Amino acid sequence: MKIREWNKNESLPINLLLLADPSYSSIDECVRRGDCFIAEEEEEIIGIFILLPTRPRTIELVNVAVVKERQGKGIGKELVKSAIEKARQAVYKTIEVGTGNSSLEQLALYQKCHFRMISVDSDFFTKAYTEEIYENGIQCRDMIRLSQDL
Ligand code: COA
């Protein structure tokens, strides 16, 4: 698997990005403001993530996604580790990530990659989306924010 920066004149793997965020407008803003990286195997795009500068020396990892057929094989963990390394190389001090209270797999993944929970944005998802979201039998209401010093 090779991870490289996505080139702005290439077509955007939108179906992949939609796995992590159902909102076209929020994807569009992240792509515009952040640096997008893609993981390829034999020229097929199998994963993606975006690094979005938010505050001085702080960067946020957003839109991490792996194609459905390849999930559960360690690719997500490789993407998160690569994002941390890229942020470190770019001399950021802190990397942050946010996920839903019901996103148990994602909460496991980020903590296995040494992120710590720092805050809860209560009712973030209830306010941001009109439709109710359920995962693992739990309503997704709150944004759990995680952080890692670099
Ligand atoms: N409890 C404990 N650990 C769990 C778990 C659970 N319920 N579910 C997953 N994990 C662990 C795995 O065991 C693995 O850890 P390990 O290597 O120590 O075994 C780790 O989480 C990550 O697994 P991996 O195979 O690397 O993940 P993946 O390739 O399936 O990618 C996502 C993870 C989230 C990127 C992928 O499922 C995806 O694209 N989902 C849709 C988009 C999305 O939700 N993005 C995140 C937005 S916040």
Side-chain angles (χ1 to χ4, degrees):
M1 179 176 80
K2 200 179 131 213
I3 297 174
R4 66 167 175 92
E5 190 158 2
W6 171 76
N7 195 319
K8 289 206 193 289
N9 54 32
E10 290 177 274
S11 71
L12 193 63
I14 188 71
N15 288 338
L16 194 47
L17 289 162
L18 284 167
L19 290 179
D21 184 347
S23 159
Y24 281 92
S25 61
S26 119
I27 290 174
D28 190 54
E29 194 184 335
C30 290
V31 170
R32 209 166 26 79
R33 287 178 39 219
D35 291 322
C36 186
F37 295 87
I38 51 172
E40 289 173 318
E41 212 166 74
E42 292 169 0
E43 295 186 22
E44 181 201 353
I45 298 177
I46 57 170
I48 198 157
F49 63 86
I50 297 176
L51 283 171
L52 188 69
T54 49
R55 298 188 301 281
R57 306 187 78 187
T58 299
I59 200 156
E60 184 168 350
L61 171 60
V62 293
N63 294 88
V64 190
V66 173
V67 289
K68 278 215 170 87
E69 317 78 71
R70 305 287 196 111
Q71 288 177 8
K73 297 188 170 83
I75 297 170
K77 210 171 183 181
E78 286 307 309
L79 296 183
V80 175
K81 283 185 185 167
S82 166
I84 295 166
E85 203 39 50
K86 286 181 193 309
R88 190 174 282 131
Q89 280 167 8
V91 212
Y92 282 92
K93 285 276 284 178
T94 307
I95 183 165
E96 295 182 338
V97 70
T99 195
N101 60 286
S102 52
S103 302
L104 304 183
E105 180 193 348
Q106 291 79 347
L107 286 167
L109 166 62
Y110 298 136
Q111 290 178 93
K112 284 179 174 181
C113 293
H114 311 296
F115 281 88
R116 299 278 307 272
M117 292 185 196
I118 50 158
S119 63
V120 179
D121 192 345
S122 294
D123 280 313
F124 174 90
F125 292 99
T126 352
K127 287 177 193 154
Y129 297 97
T130 46
E131 283 183 24
E132 287 183 358
I133 306 164
Y134 278 85
E135 295 172 300
N136 302 298
I138 304 163
Q139 188 178 357
C140 182
R141 299 174 194 269
D142 310 318
M143 168 82 86
I144 311 295
R145 300 212 57 85
L146 301 99
S147 170
Q148 180 169 163
D149 293 336
L150 295 169

